[in-house]
Amino acid sequence: IELEECVSQWPGHPDHILIQKGVCETHGYKRLRSAGYIYSAAQPNTQPLYRCYSDAEKSHFAANRDDCNGMGKREALLGYDLKQ
């Protein structure tokens, strides 16, 4: 799965998000760049990659732990990235 980095197009603090290729514009974001590739299913030496949201910061971030490192709430499992 190819991921893209996108930025919000609404007024105020910009929100950056990692999302699957081709989805930015349908969610009110503008594509900035390709952010790389991940697997759609677990493979040897991979770990889950989650999209998370922080209400306090009003922004998205990515994490490998399903509790979003205690910094926000999990929105989606994006796929699986390499451990190293």
Side-chain angles (χ1 to χ4, degrees):
I1 299 170
E2 184 175 354
L3 294 180
E4 295 180 326
E5 179 186 359
C6 308
V7 65
S8 60
Q9 298 187 69
W10 50 82
H13 178 71
D15 179 26
H16 290 255
I17 190 171
L18 283 179
I19 202 162
Q20 291 84 358
K21 181 179 180 179
V23 180
C24 288
E25 289 78 14
T26 63
H27 285 73
Y29 289 83
K30 178 182 176 187
R31 181 189 187 280
L32 295 177
R33 66 182 180 93
S34 175
Y37 293 85
I38 57 175
Y39 294 100
S40 59
Q43 304 290 318
N45 298 315
T46 63
Q47 59 191 351
L49 180 64
Y50 299 100
R51 184 176 65 237
C52 304
Y53 185 78
S54 168
D55 285 322
E57 299 291 326
K58 305 286 187 235
S59 65
H60 286 90
F61 63 98
N64 293 115
R65 290 184 12 199
D66 65 356
D67 70 352
C68 294
N69 303 327
M71 298 170 47
K73 64 181 177 183
R74 180 178 40 149
E75 284 192 336
L77 172 63
L78 295 171
Y80 297 84
D81 62 1
L82 295 173
K83 286 184 181 179
Q84 295 183 7

Coordinates of all heavy atoms in Angstrom, one line a residue:
I1 N 0.9 -1.2 0.0 CA 0.0 0.0 0.0 C 0.9 1.2 0.0 O 1.8 1.3 0.8 CB -0.9 0.0 1.3 CG1 -1.8 -1.2 1.3 CG2 -1.7 1.3 1.3 CD1 -2.5 -1.3 2.6
E2 N 0.6 2.2 -0.9 CA 1.4 3.4 -0.9 C 0.7 4.4 0.0 O -0.5 4.6 -0.1 CB 1.5 4.0 -2.3 CG 2.4 5.2 -2.3 CD 2.6 5.8 -3.7 OE1 2.2 5.2 -4.7 OE2 3.2 6.9 -3.8
L3 N 1.5 5.0 0.9 CA 0.9 6.1 1.8 C 1.4 7.4 1.3 O 2.4 7.6 0.7 CB 1.5 5.9 3.2 CG 1.0 4.6 3.9 CD1 1.6 4.6 5.3 CD2 -0.5 4.6 4.0
E4 N 0.5 8.4 1.5 CA 0.8 9.8 1.2 C 0.7 10.7 2.4 O -0.1 10.4 3.3 CB -0.2 10.3 0.2 CG -0.2 9.6 -1.2 CD -1.2 10.2 -2.2 OE1 -2.3 10.6 -1.8 OE2 -0.8 10.2 -3.4
E5 N 1.5 11.7 2.4 CA 1.4 12.7 3.5 C 0.5 13.8 2.9 O 0.8 14.3 1.8 CB 2.7 13.3 3.9 CG 2.6 14.4 4.9 CD 3.9 15.1 5.3 OE1 4.9 14.8 4.7 OE2 3.8 16.0 6.1
C6 N -0.5 14.2 3.7 CA -1.4 15.2 3.2 C -1.6 16.3 4.3 O -1.3 16.0 5.5 CB -2.8 14.6 2.9 SG -2.7 13.2 1.8
V7 N -2.1 17.5 3.9 CA -2.3 18.5 4.9 C -3.7 19.1 4.7 O -4.2 19.1 3.6 CB -1.2 19.7 4.7 CG1 -1.3 20.4 3.4 CG2 -1.3 20.6 5.9
S8 N -4.3 19.5 5.8 CA -5.7 20.0 5.8 C -5.7 21.3 5.0 O -4.8 22.0 4.9 CB -6.2 20.2 7.2 OG -5.4 21.1 7.9
Q9 N -6.9 21.5 4.4 CA -7.1 22.7 3.6 C -8.1 23.7 4.3 O -8.5 24.7 3.7 CB -7.7 22.4 2.2 CG -6.7 21.5 1.4 CD -7.2 21.3 0.0 OE1 -7.2 22.2 -0.8 NE2 -7.6 20.1 -0.3
W10 N -8.4 23.4 5.6 CA -9.4 24.3 6.3 C -8.6 25.3 7.1 O -7.4 25.1 7.4 CB -10.3 23.5 7.1 CG -9.7 22.5 8.0 CD1 -9.2 22.7 9.2 CD2 -9.6 21.1 7.8 NE1 -8.7 21.5 9.7 CE2 -9.0 20.5 8.9 CE3 -10.0 20.3 6.7 CZ2 -8.7 19.2 8.9 CZ3 -9.7 18.9 6.8 CH2 -9.1 18.4 7.9
P11 N -9.2 26.4 7.5 CA -8.5 27.5 8.3 C -8.1 27.0 9.6 O -8.6 26.0 10.1 CB -9.6 28.6 8.4 CG -10.7 28.2 7.5 CD -10.6 26.8 7.2
G12 N -7.1 27.7 10.2 CA -6.5 27.3 11.5 C -5.3 26.5 11.4 O -4.6 26.4 10.3
H13 N -5.0 25.8 12.5 CA -3.8 25.0 12.6 C -3.8 23.9 11.5 O -4.8 23.1 11.5 CB -3.7 24.4 14.0 CG -2.5 23.5 14.2 ND1 -1.2 23.9 14.2 CD2 -2.4 22.1 14.3 CE1 -0.4 22.9 14.4 NE2 -1.1 21.8 14.5
P14 N -2.8 23.7 10.7 CA -2.8 22.6 9.6 C -2.7 21.3 10.3 O -1.9 21.1 11.3 CB -1.6 23.0 8.8 CG -0.7 23.8 9.6 CD -1.6 24.5 10.6
D15 N -3.4 20.3 9.8 CA -3.4 19.0 10.2 C -2.7 18.1 9.2 O -3.2 18.1 8.0 CB -4.8 18.5 10.5 CG -4.8 17.0 11.0 OD1 -3.8 16.5 11.6 OD2 -5.9 16.4 10.8
H16 N -1.6 17.4 9.5 CA -1.0 16.5 8.6 C -1.4 15.1 8.9 O -1.6 14.8 10.0 CB 0.6 16.6 8.7 CG 1.1 17.9 8.2 ND1 1.8 18.0 7.0 CD2 1.1 19.1 8.7 CE1 2.2 19.2 6.8 NE2 1.7 19.9 7.9
I17 N -1.6 14.3 7.8 CA -2.1 13.0 8.0 C -1.4 12.0 7.0 O -1.1 12.4 5.9 CB -3.6 13.0 7.8 CG1 -4.3 11.6 8.2 CG2 -4.0 13.3 6.4 CD1 -5.8 11.6 8.2
L18 N -1.2 10.8 7.5 CA -0.8 9.7 6.6 C -2.0 8.9 6.1 O -2.8 8.6 7.0 CB 0.2 8.7 7.3 CG 1.6 9.2 7.5 CD1 2.4 8.1 8.2 CD2 2.3 9.5 6.2
I19 N -2.2 8.7 4.9 CA -3.4 8.1 4.4 C -3.0 7.3 3.1 O -2.0 7.7 2.4 CB -4.5 9.1 4.2 CG1 -5.9 8.5 4.2 CG2 -4.3 10.0 3.0 CD1 -7.0 9.5 4.5
Q20 N -3.9 6.4 2.7 CA -3.6 5.6 1.5 C -3.7 6.5 0.3 O -4.4 7.5 0.2 CB -4.7 4.5 1.3 CG -4.6 3.4 2.3 CD -5.3 3.7 3.6 OE1 -5.8 4.8 3.8 NE2 -5.2 2.8 4.6
K21 N -2.9 6.2 -0.7 CA -2.8 7.0 -2.0 C -4.1 7.2 -2.6 O -4.9 6.3 -2.7 CB -1.8 6.3 -2.9 CG -1.6 7.1 -4.2 CD -0.7 6.4 -5.2 CE -0.6 7.2 -6.4 NZ 0.3 6.6 -7.4
G22 N -4.4 8.4 -3.0 CA -5.6 8.7 -3.7 C -6.8 9.1 -2.9 O -7.9 9.3 -3.4
V23 N -6.6 9.2 -1.6 CA -7.7 9.5 -0.6 C -7.7 10.9 -0.1 O -8.7 11.4 0.4 CB -7.7 8.4 0.5 CG1 -8.8 8.7 1.5 CG2 -7.8 7.0 0.0
C24 N -6.5 11.6 -0.2 CA -6.4 12.9 0.4 C -7.6 13.9 0.1 O -8.2 14.4 1.0 CB -5.1 13.6 -0.1 SG -3.6 12.9 0.6
E25 N -7.8 14.1 -1.2 CA -8.7 15.1 -1.6 C -10.2 14.7 -1.2 O -11.0 15.6 -1.0 CB -8.7 15.3 -3.2 CG -7.4 16.0 -3.6 CD -6.2 15.1 -3.6 OE1 -6.3 13.9 -3.6 OE2 -5.1 15.6 -3.7
T26 N -10.5 13.5 -1.1 CA -11.8 13.1 -0.7 C -12.1 13.3 0.8 O -13.2 13.2 1.2 CB -12.1 11.6 -1.1 OG1 -11.3 10.8 -0.3 CG2 -12.0 11.3 -2.6
H27 N -11.1 13.6 1.5 CA -11.2 13.8 3.0 C -10.9 15.3 3.3 O -10.6 15.6 4.5 CB -10.3 12.9 3.7 CG -10.8 11.5 3.8 ND1 -10.8 10.6 2.7 CD2 -11.4 10.8 4.8 CE1 -11.4 9.5 3.0 NE2 -11.8 9.6 4.3
G28 N -10.8 16.2 2.3 CA -10.5 17.6 2.6 C -9.1 18.0 2.8 O -8.8 19.0 3.5
Y29 N -8.2 17.1 2.3 CA -6.7 17.4 2.5 C -6.1 17.6 1.1 O -6.7 17.2 0.1 CB -6.1 16.1 3.1 CG -6.4 16.0 4.6 CD1 -7.6 15.4 5.0 CD2 -5.5 16.5 5.6 CE1 -7.9 15.2 6.4 CE2 -5.8 16.3 6.9 CZ -7.0 15.7 7.3 OH -7.3 15.5 8.6
K30 N -4.9 18.2 1.1 CA -4.1 18.3 -0.1 C -2.9 17.4 0.0 O -2.2 17.4 1.0 CB -3.7 19.8 -0.2 CG -2.8 20.1 -1.4 CD -2.3 21.5 -1.4 CE -1.4 21.7 -2.6 NZ -0.8 23.0 -2.6
R31 N -2.6 16.7 -1.1 CA -1.5 15.8 -1.1 C -0.2 16.6 -1.1 O 0.0 17.6 -1.9 CB -1.5 14.9 -2.4 CG -0.4 13.9 -2.5 CD -0.4 13.3 -3.9 NE 0.6 12.2 -3.9 CZ 1.9 12.4 -4.1 NH1 2.4 13.6 -4.3 NH2 2.7 11.3 -4.2
L32 N 0.8 16.2 -0.3 CA 2.1 16.8 -0.2 C 3.1 16.0 -0.9 O 4.0 16.5 -1.7 CB 2.5 17.1 1.2 CG 1.7 18.1 2.0 CD1 2.2 18.2 3.4 CD2 1.7 19.5 1.3
R33 N 3.1 14.7 -0.6 CA 4.2 13.8 -1.1 C 3.8 12.3 -0.9 O 3.0 12.0 0.0 CB 5.5 14.1 -0.5 CG 5.5 13.8 1.0 CD 6.9 14.1 1.7 NE 6.8 13.8 3.1 CZ 7.3 12.7 3.6 NH1 7.8 11.7 2.8 NH2 7.2 12.4 4.9
S34 N 4.6 11.5 -1.5 CA 4.5 10.0 -1.2 C 5.3 9.8 0.1 O 6.4 10.4 0.2 CB 5.1 9.2 -2.3 OG 5.1 7.9 -2.0
A35 N 4.7 9.0 1.0 CA 5.4 8.8 2.3 C 6.0 7.4 2.4 O 6.6 7.1 3.4 CB 4.4 9.1 3.4
G36 N 5.9 6.6 1.4 CA 6.4 5.3 1.4 C 5.4 4.2 1.2 O 4.2 4.5 0.9
Y37 N 5.8 3.0 1.5 CA 5.0 1.8 1.3 C 4.9 0.9 2.5 O 5.9 0.9 3.3 CB 5.5 1.0 0.1 CG 5.4 1.6 -1.2 CD1 6.4 2.5 -1.6 CD2 4.4 1.4 -2.1 CE1 6.3 3.2 -2.9 CE2 4.3 2.1 -3.3 CZ 5.3 2.9 -3.7 OH 5.2 3.6 -4.9
I38 N 3.8 0.3 2.7 CA 3.6 -0.6 3.8 C 2.9 -1.9 3.3 O 2.3 -1.8 2.2 CB 2.8 0.0 5.0 CG1 1.4 0.5 4.5 CG2 3.6 1.1 5.7 CD1 0.5 1.0 5.6
Y39 N 2.9 -2.9 4.0 CA 2.2 -4.2 3.7 C 0.8 -4.1 4.1 O 0.5 -3.5 5.2 CB 2.9 -5.4 4.3 CG 4.2 -5.7 3.8 CD1 5.4 -5.3 4.6 CD2 4.5 -6.3 2.6 CE1 6.6 -5.6 4.1 CE2 5.7 -6.6 2.2 CZ 6.8 -6.2 2.9 OH 8.1 -6.5 2.5
S40 N -0.1 -4.7 3.4 CA -1.6 -4.8 3.8 C -1.8 -5.8 4.8 O -2.8 -5.8 5.5 CB -2.5 -5.0 2.6 OG -2.1 -6.2 1.9
A41 N -1.0 -6.8 4.9 CA -1.1 -7.9 5.8 C 0.2 -8.1 6.5 O 1.3 -7.8 6.0 CB -1.5 -9.2 5.1
A42 N 0.2 -8.7 7.7 CA 1.4 -8.9 8.5 C 2.3 -9.8 7.8 O 1.9 -10.8 7.2 CB 1.0 -9.5 9.9
Q43 N 3.6 -9.5 7.8 CA 4.7 -10.3 7.2 C 5.7 -10.6 8.3 O 5.8 -9.9 9.3 CB 5.3 -9.5 6.1 CG 4.4 -9.1 5.0 CD 3.8 -10.2 4.2 OE1 4.6 -11.1 3.8 NE2 2.5 -10.2 3.9
P44 N 6.7 -11.5 8.1 CA 7.8 -11.6 9.0 C 8.5 -10.3 9.2 O 8.7 -9.5 8.2 CB 8.7 -12.7 8.4 CG 7.8 -13.4 7.5 CD 6.8 -12.5 7.0
N45 N 8.9 -10.0 10.4 CA 9.6 -8.8 10.8 C 8.9 -7.5 10.5 O 9.5 -6.5 10.2 CB 11.0 -8.7 10.1 CG 11.9 -9.9 10.5 OD1 12.0 -10.2 11.7 ND2 12.5 -10.6 9.6
T46 N 7.6 -7.5 10.6 CA 6.8 -6.3 10.4 C 6.0 -6.0 11.7 O 5.9 -6.9 12.6 CB 5.8 -6.4 9.3 OG1 4.8 -7.4 9.5 CG2 6.5 -6.6 7.9
Q47 N 5.5 -4.8 11.8 CA 4.7 -4.4 13.0 C 3.5 -3.6 12.5 O 3.6 -2.9 11.4 CB 5.5 -3.6 13.9 CG 6.2 -2.4 13.3 CD 7.2 -1.7 14.2 OE1 7.4 -2.1 15.4 NE2 7.9 -0.8 13.7
P48 N 2.4 -3.5 13.2 CA 1.3 -2.7 12.7 C 1.6 -1.2 12.8 O 2.4 -0.8 13.6 CB 0.2 -3.0 13.7 CG 0.8 -3.7 14.9 CD 2.2 -4.2 14.5
L49 N 1.0 -0.5 11.9 CA 1.1 1.0 11.8 C -0.3 1.5 11.9 O -1.1 1.2 11.0 CB 1.8 1.4 10.5 CG 2.0 2.9 10.3 CD1 3.0 3.5 11.4 CD2 2.6 3.2 9.0
Y50 N -0.5 2.3 12.9 CA -1.8 2.9 13.1 C -1.9 4.4 12.8 O -0.9 5.1 13.1 CB -2.3 2.7 14.6 CG -2.4 1.3 15.0 CD1 -1.3 0.6 15.7 CD2 -3.5 0.5 14.7 CE1 -1.4 -0.7 16.0 CE2 -3.6 -0.8 15.0 CZ -2.5 -1.4 15.7 OH -2.6 -2.7 16.1
R51 N -3.0 4.9 12.4 CA -3.2 6.3 12.3 C -4.0 6.7 13.5 O -5.0 6.1 13.9 CB -4.1 6.7 11.1 CG -4.2 8.2 10.9 CD -5.0 8.7 9.7 NE -6.4 8.2 9.7 CZ -6.9 7.4 8.8 NH1 -6.2 7.0 7.8 NH2 -8.2 7.0 8.9
C52 N -3.5 7.7 14.2 CA -4.0 8.2 15.5 C -4.4 9.6 15.4 O -3.9 10.4 14.6 CB -3.0 8.0 16.6 SG -2.4 6.3 16.7
Y53 N -5.2 10.1 16.4 CA -5.6 11.5 16.5 C -5.5 12.0 17.9 O -6.0 11.3 18.8 CB -7.0 11.7 16.0 CG -7.4 13.1 15.9 CD1 -7.0 13.9 14.9 CD2 -8.2 13.7 16.9 CE1 -7.3 15.3 14.9 CE2 -8.6 15.0 16.9 CZ -8.1 15.8 15.9 OH -8.5 17.1 15.8
S54 N -4.9 13.1 18.1 CA -4.8 13.8 19.4 C -5.8 14.9 19.5 O -5.7 15.9 18.7 CB -3.4 14.3 19.6 OG -3.3 15.2 20.7
D55 N -6.8 14.8 20.4 CA -7.7 15.8 20.6 C -7.0 17.1 21.2 O -7.4 18.2 20.8 CB -8.8 15.4 21.6 CG -9.8 14.4 20.9 OD1 -10.2 14.7 19.7 OD2 -10.3 13.5 21.6
A56 N -6.0 16.9 22.0 CA -5.3 18.0 22.7 C -4.6 18.8 21.6 O -4.6 20.0 21.7 CB -4.4 17.5 23.7
E57 N -3.9 18.1 20.7 CA -3.1 18.8 19.6 C -3.9 19.1 18.4 O -3.5 19.9 17.5 CB -1.9 18.0 19.2 CG -1.0 17.7 20.4 CD -0.2 18.9 20.8 OE1 0.1 19.8 20.0 OE2 0.0 19.1 22.0
K58 N -5.1 18.5 18.3 CA -6.0 18.7 17.1 C -5.2 18.3 15.8 O -5.2 19.0 14.8 CB -6.5 20.1 16.9 CG -7.2 20.6 18.1 CD -8.6 20.0 18.2 CE -9.4 20.6 19.3 NZ -9.9 19.7 20.3
S59 N -4.5 17.1 15.9 CA -3.7 16.6 14.8 C -3.6 15.1 14.8 O -3.7 14.5 15.8 CB -2.3 17.3 14.8 OG -1.6 16.9 15.9
H60 N -3.3 14.6 13.6 CA -3.1 13.2 13.4 C -1.6 12.9 13.5 O -0.7 13.7 13.4 CB -3.5 12.8 12.0 CG -5.0 12.7 11.8 ND1 -5.7 13.8 11.4 CD2 -5.9 11.7 12.0 CE1 -7.0 13.5 11.4 NE2 -7.1 12.2 11.7
F61 N -1.3 11.6 13.9 CA 0.0 11.1 13.9 C 0.0 9.6 13.7 O -1.1 9.0 13.7 CB 0.7 11.5 15.2 CG 0.1 10.9 16.5 CD1 0.6 9.7 17.1 CD2 -1.0 11.5 17.1 CE1 0.0 9.2 18.2 CE2 -1.6 11.0 18.2 CZ -1.1 9.8 18.8
A62 N 1.2 9.0 13.5 CA 1.2 7.5 13.3 C 2.0 6.9 14.5 O 2.8 7.5 15.1 CB 2.0 7.2 12.0
A63 N 1.6 5.7 14.8 CA 2.2 5.0 15.9 C 2.2 3.5 15.6 O 1.3 3.0 14.8 CB 1.4 5.2 17.2
N64 N 3.1 2.8 16.2 CA 3.1 1.3 16.1 C 2.4 0.6 17.2 O 2.1 -0.6 17.0 CB 4.6 0.8 16.0 CG 5.3 1.3 14.8 OD1 6.2 2.1 14.8 ND2 4.8 0.9 13.6
R65 N 2.0 1.3 18.2 CA 1.2 0.6 19.3 C -0.2 1.0 19.2 O -0.6 2.1 18.8 CB 1.7 1.1 20.7 CG 3.1 0.6 21.0 CD 3.7 1.0 22.3 NE 2.7 1.5 23.3 CZ 3.0 2.2 24.3 NH1 4.3 2.5 24.6 NH2 2.1 2.7 25.1
D66 N -1.1 0.0 19.4 CA -2.5 0.2 19.3 C -3.1 1.2 20.2 O -4.2 1.7 20.1 CB -3.3 -1.1 19.3 CG -3.3 -1.9 20.6 OD1 -2.6 -1.4 21.5 OD2 -3.9 -2.9 20.7
D67 N -2.4 1.5 21.3 CA -2.9 2.6 22.2 C -2.3 3.9 21.9 O -2.5 4.9 22.6 CB -2.5 2.2 23.7 CG -1.0 2.3 24.0 OD1 -0.2 2.5 23.0 OD2 -0.6 2.2 25.1
C68 N -1.7 4.0 20.7 CA -1.2 5.3 20.2 C -0.2 5.9 21.1 O -0.1 7.2 21.3 CB -2.3 6.3 19.8 SG -3.3 5.7 18.4
N69 N 0.6 5.1 21.8 CA 1.6 5.5 22.8 C 1.0 6.4 23.9 O 1.7 7.2 24.5 CB 2.7 6.3 22.0 CG 3.4 5.4 21.0 OD1 3.5 4.2 21.1 ND2 3.8 6.1 19.9
G70 N -0.3 6.2 24.1 CA -1.0 7.0 25.2 C -1.1 8.5 24.9 O -1.4 9.3 25.7
M71 N -1.0 8.8 23.6 CA -1.0 10.2 23.2 C -2.2 10.6 22.4 O -2.4 11.8 22.0 CB 0.3 10.5 22.4 CG 1.5 10.4 23.1 SD 3.1 10.4 22.1 CE 2.8 11.9 21.2
G72 N -3.1 9.7 22.2 CA -4.3 10.0 21.4 C -5.2 8.8 21.2 O -4.9 7.7 21.9
K73 N -6.1 8.8 20.3 CA -7.0 7.7 20.0 C -6.7 7.1 18.7 O -6.4 7.8 17.7 CB -8.4 8.1 20.2 CG -8.9 9.1 19.2 CD -10.4 9.4 19.3 CE -10.7 10.5 18.4 NZ -12.1 11.0 18.5
R74 N -6.8 5.8 18.6 CA -6.6 5.1 17.3 C -7.7 5.3 16.4 O -8.9 5.2 16.8 CB -6.4 3.6 17.6 CG -6.1 2.8 16.4 CD -5.9 1.4 16.7 NE -6.8 1.0 17.8 CZ -7.3 -0.3 17.9 NH1 -6.9 -1.2 17.1 NH2 -8.1 -0.5 18.9
E75 N -7.4 5.7 15.1 CA -8.5 5.8 14.1 C -8.5 4.6 13.1 O -9.6 4.2 12.7 CB -8.2 7.1 13.3 CG -8.6 8.3 14.0 CD -8.6 9.5 13.0 OE1 -7.9 9.5 12.0 OE2 -9.3 10.5 13.4
A76 N -7.3 4.1 12.7 CA -7.3 3.1 11.7 C -6.0 2.3 11.7 O -5.0 2.9 12.1 CB -7.5 3.7 10.3
L77 N -6.0 1.1 11.3 CA -4.8 0.3 11.0 C -4.5 0.6 9.6 O -5.3 0.3 8.7 CB -5.1 -1.2 11.2 CG -4.0 -2.1 10.8 CD1 -2.7 -1.9 11.6 CD2 -4.4 -3.6 10.9
L78 N -3.3 1.2 9.4 CA -2.9 1.6 8.0 C -2.4 0.4 7.3 O -2.5 0.2 6.1 CB -1.9 2.7 8.0 CG -2.4 4.1 8.6 CD1 -1.2 5.0 8.7 CD2 -3.4 4.6 7.6
G79 N -1.7 -0.5 8.0 CA -1.0 -1.6 7.4 C 0.1 -2.1 8.3 O 0.1 -1.8 9.5
Y80 N 1.2 -2.6 7.7 CA 2.3 -3.1 8.5 C 3.6 -2.6 7.9 O 3.8 -2.8 6.7 CB 2.3 -4.7 8.5 CG 1.0 -5.2 9.2 CD1 -0.2 -5.3 8.5 CD2 1.0 -5.5 10.5 CE1 -1.3 -5.7 9.1 CE2 -0.1 -5.9 11.1 CZ -1.3 -6.1 10.4 OH -2.4 -6.5 11.1
D81 N 4.5 -2.1 8.8 CA 5.8 -1.6 8.3 C 6.9 -2.5 8.9 O 6.6 -3.3 9.8 CB 6.0 -0.1 8.7 CG 6.0 0.1 10.2 OD1 5.8 -0.8 11.0 OD2 6.1 1.3 10.6
L82 N 8.1 -2.3 8.3 CA 9.2 -3.1 8.8 C 9.7 -2.7 10.1 O 9.7 -1.5 10.5 CB 10.4 -3.0 7.8 CG 10.1 -3.5 6.4 CD1 11.2 -3.2 5.4 CD2 9.9 -5.0 6.4
K83 N 10.0 -3.7 11.0 CA 10.5 -3.4 12.3 C 11.8 -2.6 12.3 O 12.1 -1.8 13.2 CB 10.6 -4.6 13.1 CG 9.3 -5.2 13.6 CD 9.5 -6.4 14.5 CE 8.2 -7.0 14.9 NZ 8.4 -8.2 15.7
Q84 N 12.7 -2.9 11.3 CA 14.0 -2.2 11.3 C 14.3 -1.8 9.9 O 13.9 -2.3 8.9 CB 15.1 -3.2 11.8 CG 14.9 -3.5 13.2 CD 16.1 -4.3 13.7 OE1 17.0 -4.6 13.1 NE2 15.9 -4.8 15.0

